[in-house]
Amino acid sequence: MVKTFAPRLLGVASATVVALTLSACQDQASQGGAARDYISAVGSSTVYPFATAVGEKFAEATGGKTPKIDSTGTGGGFERFCSGVGGDTPDIANASRRMKAKEFETCQANGVKDIVEVQIGIDGIALGEAQRGPGFKLTDEDVYKALAANPYGKPNTAKTWKDVNPALPAVAISVFGPPSTSGTYDAFKELILAKGCDANPEMKALKDSDKDKHESVCTGLRGAPFYVEQGENDNLIISKLDKNPTSLGIFGFSYLDANKDKIKAVPIKGVLPTYDAIADGSYPGSRPLFIYVKKAHVGVIPGLAEYVAEFLKGAGEGGYLGAKGLIVSPKSVADTATANAQNMTPLNGGELK
């Protein structure tokens, strides 16, 4: 969910305040009164392990300070990123979904005018279970019927997976997942839940006739004990599955890939979340990953442009982030990302939904 901010900068005073803020940033890159000579990034827990790996490589290569990266969730990251410009605000927002139009508007209202969007690769929304789990095989429609608060507009009464589909195990519906501030949460609703809902022709038609109602019916989630939020720590979900072998977990592919000894993937419509299936789009839960950069901070915060370049180096074909589960973007997408990073091309907000 996106929280709005009261605009800090208004009218003629806006230009003056922005100029003063940037001037202060240029003079001392101040944060809390101290000189800020390091990069600050916030956002997605999915992007976090990639961003920290890049930060270490960047520090080794340049001799600069290791960037400070906070795992706040995509939505929380955009809130902080869009709060203004200057040394007390982040330079980068890590995101496991694209920036929303409302978030872009908040940025603009708070003086964050030139935002550079760089897609760093592809990830998948994975469903997993403990190695000793029952061996779920699901469709996106099964997941929707199990987790929607009001499937097809009626209150959800299903308690076991067998209630959802007679072919599934008669075990309680129990899914550990990310909170509403997470990009993984948003992507799960869009890529799995909504698609399962739209398998019903009436729901698909509703999307055109009443978009708000469609969103409510198709993406509204049940609460505990059916869907239990676990915060911005995907490793916590993995540990929960080990203790609850009939439960499912939702997380990014990279976490699944890094914990094969503890958990196994659940196929969706017969397709497992493998590197190749996510890369070619045959897996239903494929999604892009991004970083967003404040152009106003480039050339002010030491090494910011170089850090972005290092990110793309690690994310490229044969790059070191592949070993951590990041999937390489198609060439045309990667070329656009490189051009955006090299030229610091501002994002066109009109492209966003």
Side-chain angles (χ1 to χ4, degrees):
M1 296 175 65
V2 180
K3 297 179 182 177
T4 57
F5 285 77
R8 295 180 177 179
L9 312 172
L10 301 171
V12 176
S14 170
T16 304
V17 175
V18 171
L20 289 172
T21 304
L22 285 176
S23 176
C25 186
Q26 290 169 334
D27 289 341
Q28 61 180 12
S30 68
Q31 181 165 349
R36 179 149 82 80
D37 55 354
Y38 59 88
I39 295 162
S40 171
V42 295
S44 167
S45 61
T46 300
V47 177
Y48 176 81
F50 306 133
T52 53
V54 172
E56 291 167 4
K57 290 284 187 180
F58 162 81
E60 290 173 9
T62 65
K65 288 192 174 180
T66 302
K68 182 179 183 294
I69 302 168
D70 293 333
S71 177
T72 62
T74 297
F78 280 136
E79 286 183 6
R80 289 174 58 183
F81 180 82
C82 291
S83 65
V85 293
D88 60 345
T89 68
D91 311 307
I92 294 174
N94 299 324
S96 56
R97 59 163 171 80
R98 200 175 193 200
M99 177 179 276
K100 296 177 181 178
K102 288 182 179 179
E103 291 163 334
F104 182 84
E105 290 164 5
T106 299
C107 268
Q108 299 297 296
N110 290 334
V112 186
K113 298 296 185 181
D114 292 330
I115 303 164
V116 182
E117 178 184 79
V118 179
Q119 183 172 331
I120 56 155
I122 304 171
D123 184 40
I125 302 296
L127 272 72
E129 62 181 334
Q131 283 290 349
R132 64 185 190 281
F136 283 98
K137 294 179 181 178
L138 303 173
T139 66
D140 42 20
E141 194 169 8
D142 292 333
V143 177
Y144 171 70
K145 289 178 180 179
L147 294 183
N150 296 287
Y152 312 125
K154 297 179 182 179
N156 199 334
T157 59
K159 294 183 178 180
T160 72
W161 287 98
K162 195 173 183 68
D163 294 336
V164 169
N165 181 340
L168 294 174
V171 298
I173 297 167
S174 170
V175 179
F176 299 110
S180 59
T181 54
S182 170
T184 300
Y185 178 93
D186 291 333
F188 169 70
K189 292 200 300 181
E190 178 184 349
L191 298 174
I192 305 293
L193 218 62
K195 286 181 180 177
C197 179
D198 288 343
N200 180 296
E202 290 182 16
M203 293 299 103
K204 193 171 184 180
L206 183 63
K207 191 173 185 178
D208 296 324
S209 63
D210 192 335
K211 187 176 179 180
D212 290 341
K213 186 175 180 181
H214 175 272
E215 183 176 354
S216 174
V217 170
C218 289
T219 64
L221 278 168
R222 307 171 84 177
F226 307 103
Y227 182 87
V228 183
E229 295 186 6
Q230 292 299 305
E232 294 292 350
N233 185 348
D234 289 346
N235 288 315
L236 180 59
I237 297 176
I238 291 166
S239 67
K240 286 278 188 178
L241 294 182
D242 189 49
K243 297 172 184 175
N244 300 273
T246 60
S247 296
L248 295 178
I250 300 169
F251 29 69
F253 166 75
S254 60
Y255 283 89
L256 174 72
D257 193 53
N259 292 276
K260 291 177 182 176
D261 58 326
K262 299 174 185 174
I263 54 177
K264 58 187 177 184
V266 172
I268 303 294
K269 299 175 76 172
V271 182
L272 284 166
T274 64
Y275 186 103
D276 290 340
I278 294 169
D280 66 20
S282 59
Y283 177 68
S286 299
R287 60 169 175 174
L289 301 178
F290 301 91
I291 60 173
Y292 290 85
V293 185
K294 282 179 188 166
K295 188 172 182 177
H297 287 200
V298 176
V300 178
I301 301 300
L304 184 54
E306 291 79 5
Y307 173 79
V308 175
E310 179 63 38
F311 216 133
L312 288 176
K313 178 183 175 183
E317 196 70 48
Y320 53 87
L321 293 180
K324 292 187 172 294
L326 185 66
I327 295 164
V328 176
S329 297
K331 187 178 185 304
S332 60
V333 174
D335 288 347
T336 298
T338 299
N340 285 349
Q342 289 178 345
N343 302 319
M344 286 293 157
T345 306
L347 173 65
N348 176 3
E351 302 172 358
L352 304 176
K353 293 189 288 184

